[in-house]
Amino acid sequence: GAVVSQHPSWVICKSGTSVKIECRSLDFQATTMFWYRQFPKQSLMLMATSNEGSKATYEQGVEKDKFLINHASLTLSTLTVTSAHPEDSSFYICSAIQTGGYEQYFGPGTRLTVT
Amino acid sequence: AQSVTQPDIHITVSEGASLELRCNYSYGATPYLFWYVQSPGQGLQLLLKYFSGDTLVQGIKGFEAEFKRSQSSFNLRKPSVHWSDAAEYFCAVGAQGGSYIPTFGRGTSLIVHP
């Protein structure tokens, strides 16, 4: 139980285009989901907290207009990287907390490469 | 605010040897503590967690960790390492009664020699 999926697992896009990453809780409902960014050989950096039905809460220094987060249902949150640039290339990981719980379950991550 | 220190960037052990990965945290009250493992190109898998109670916590894959309040530590141990344990290990601390969102350490890369 408590499985989180991400789609796609990897994506290559051209500079200036937008790319959407999906995070789904497969067997539980998640009121809260988180989006992290991880650079090679580094730790996870929390980008934003996504709450179902409300606006995401972004961490300091994260551009909300560039990283659009939508949490339209209790099982799906999406991260859209708008007008992507090579510096946005990274490993993006989502996690979800089961409604009423407090343990995070992590997705497998999405490798984004912007050329 | 809480913080986590993993002082070792890399640890190299021989297969079959014992392992201890260090984690120190800073938080004003009793924290939530976690250890996660990440294989290359993968997400994070929870090895074990401490919320309260017994300070020696058993996890999956033969791992255990001990919460020592006096030392603000939560070191991860395994008595006999397998080659498949080679991965990145992250310690994380969360605030009880707060927003819960954990803060991650920078990670320790475990290298296992045959």
Side-chain angles (χ1 to χ4, degrees):
Chain A
V3 178
V4 176
S5 70
Q6 282 185 241
H7 178 80
S9 55
W10 58 272
V11 57
I12 301 173
C13 70
K14 292 188 176 182
S15 186
T17 62
S18 296
V19 61
K20 180 184 288 187
I21 302 169
E22 292 185 349
C23 176
R24 293 183 184 272
S25 56
L26 298 185
D27 51 3
F28 65 98
Q29 293 186 330
T31 306
T32 304
M33 291 184 172
F34 302 93
W35 286 96
Y36 293 87
R37 183 173 181 177
Q38 186 181 32
F39 292 100
K41 302 296 183 181
Q42 294 190 27
S43 189
L44 281 72
M45 181 192 77
L46 180 65
M47 299 175 65
T49 302
S50 169
N51 292 298
E52 187 265 339
S54 64
K55 291 184 178 180
T57 302
Y58 291 82
E59 295 299 301
Q60 192 172 8
V62 178
E63 299 176 62
K64 60 180 67 176
D65 294 330
K66 180 165 190 62
F67 298 100
L68 300 179
I69 291 172
N70 183 274
H71 193 156
S73 78
L74 287 172
T75 59
L76 173 65
S77 177
T78 60
L79 168 68
T80 301
V81 183
T82 62
S83 187
H85 291 283
E87 58 264 31
D88 299 324
S89 298
S90 193
F91 193 54
Y92 293 88
I93 302 175
C94 74
S95 69
I97 296 179
Q98 188 169 5
T99 301
Y102 40 76
E103 180 175 332
Q104 287 192 60
Y105 300 98
F106 285 83
T110 296
R111 173 74 59 193
L112 170 63
T113 301
V114 185
T115 61
Chain B
Q2 64 264 30
S3 66
V4 180
T5 301
Q6 290 181 252
D8 303 306
I9 298 176
H10 303 283
I11 290 283
T12 302
V13 299
S14 298
E15 190 170 16
S18 63
L19 170 71
E20 182 170 35
L21 301 182
R22 295 185 290 166
C23 173
N24 293 96
Y25 69 90
S26 174
Y27 182 61
T30 302
Y32 293 135
L33 294 162
F34 309 85
W35 274 100
Y36 292 90
V37 61
Q38 183 182 34
S39 297
Q42 300 295 315
L44 274 68
Q45 181 182 22
L46 179 67
L47 287 175
L48 47 78
K49 61 182 184 286
Y50 171 80
F51 284 172
S52 64
D54 193 345
T55 56
L56 184 61
V57 181
Q58 301 297 320
I60 62 172
K61 303 185 179 184
F63 286 92
E64 67 177 26
E66 186 170 11
F67 169 52
K68 292 185 177 180
R69 185 189 304 274
S70 61
Q71 299 177 20
S72 298
S73 69
F74 190 57
N75 294 348
L76 182 71
R77 300 193 294 251
K78 187 171 185 177
S80 178
V81 171
H82 189 263
W83 63 266
S84 60
D85 293 324
E88 193 80 17
Y89 290 81
F90 293 96
C91 180
V93 59
Q96 290 204 28
S99 66
Y100 163 76
I101 301 171
T103 299
F104 286 84
R106 65 177 177 181
T108 297
S109 180
L110 175 63
I111 302 165
V112 181
H113 282 314

